[in-house]
Amino acid sequence: MTATPPLSRDELERYARHIVMREVGGPGQAKLKAARVLVVGAGGLGAPLLLYLAAAGVGTIGIVDDDAVALSNLQRQVIFGTDDIGASKAERAAQAITRLNPHVKVEVHNERLNAGNALPLIESYDIVADGSDNFETRYLVSDTCYVAKKPLVTAALGVFDASLTTIRAHERRTDGVPNPTYRCLFPEPPPAGTIPTCSEAGILGALPGILGSMMALEVIREIVGFGEGLVGRLLMIDARSMRFETLDYAWDKDNPLSGSAASSRLRG
């Protein structure tokens, strides 16, 4: 994170409820202002995530999305309105952020993340939040964050279920053991066609709002540094029974990114 000017009088009032918190305060708010966060996907998860990051005062937010707003999106993608139908999601999300908080700089990447642009994009930010809706992008983002040594907050949605975790695979625990990668948790994506898409199975509209807001909380925690984050822990939500459970997971020596075999290849 780069140095930024001190908070203005307007910002001090805008973020007053953060600044009076012992866990955030003026120093924490200054960290938020200095931070650069890349949000992958401006859909169901990205919509509340972007709004809460902007409201919290994250200084620079990048948005990666090449899609256009559709009428069927409005059931859950609350950053958009009916007048946005047909327009670029990234551009209209940027406009919504500016209306909410003019102190936030928005960088629009109206493109699909791919193997050619992922590394330069991710390298230019401090932290990545992945709200993409497909396994190809999810694995690309997690693998690239490991290579670029960037923390990643990643989430996934089902019809009534959801999950959230934070990946800092480029770092080690205090005992020297590497932090787990995304592939330690999910070694390979499921075979194509085995998991129905949102358009096929449907999704409860409020569920992305819950999870996207929790993603924002986890990003803010990672930037400011308070409490216990989700590194090595998978938070699972069952909206049918309103249950929240946390599963611990650890580094897998056989994972292809930071496992023993990968280290041997690097030494060779």
Side-chain angles (χ1 to χ4, degrees), residues 33-184:
K33 183 175 180 177
R36 291 176 52 82
V37 178
L38 180 65
V39 174
V40 181
L45 293 174
L49 168 62
L50 288 165
L51 288 173
Y52 274 108
L53 291 181
V58 170
T60 303
I61 300 175
I63 308 172
V64 186
D65 199 309
D66 69 340
D67 203 1
V69 180
L71 180 59
S72 61
N73 297 152
L74 303 185
Q75 167 248 16
R76 64 202 175 281
Q77 298 179 20
V78 293
I79 201 170
F80 306 119
T82 304
D83 292 343
D84 296 320
I85 293 171
S88 159
K89 283 187 177 181
E91 292 175 3
R92 290 301 174 93
Q95 292 172 14
I97 288 172
T98 300
R99 288 194 300 270
L100 176 63
N101 190 348
H103 298 287
V104 175
K105 178 182 177 183
V106 188
E107 297 176 347
V108 173
H109 306 284
N110 200 352
E111 56 190 313
R112 189 176 184 84
L113 204 71
N114 57 52
N117 64 16
L119 185 58
L121 267 177
I122 287 173
E123 282 183 326
S124 64
Y125 290 86
D126 301 314
I127 184 169
V128 178
D130 182 16
S132 60
D133 61 357
N134 65 88
F135 291 102
E136 180 183 2
T137 302
R138 204 168 293 151
Y139 279 83
L140 173 63
V141 171
S142 63
D143 290 353
T144 306
C145 283
Y146 172 74
V147 172
K149 298 182 176 175
K150 303 292 183 178
L152 167 66
V153 174
T154 182
L157 288 165
V159 179
F160 284 98
D161 59 285
S163 62
L164 171 66
T165 191
T166 296
I167 310 289
R168 300 186 73 101
H170 57 288
E171 298 175 348
R172 292 176 177 267
R173 302 186 324 195
T174 55
D175 60 4
V177 175
N179 283 332
T181 70
Y182 187 76
R183 290 183 182 271
C184 295

Side-chain angles (χ1 to χ4, degrees), residues 4 181 224 243:
T4 56
T181 70
V224 176
R243 292 183 182 274

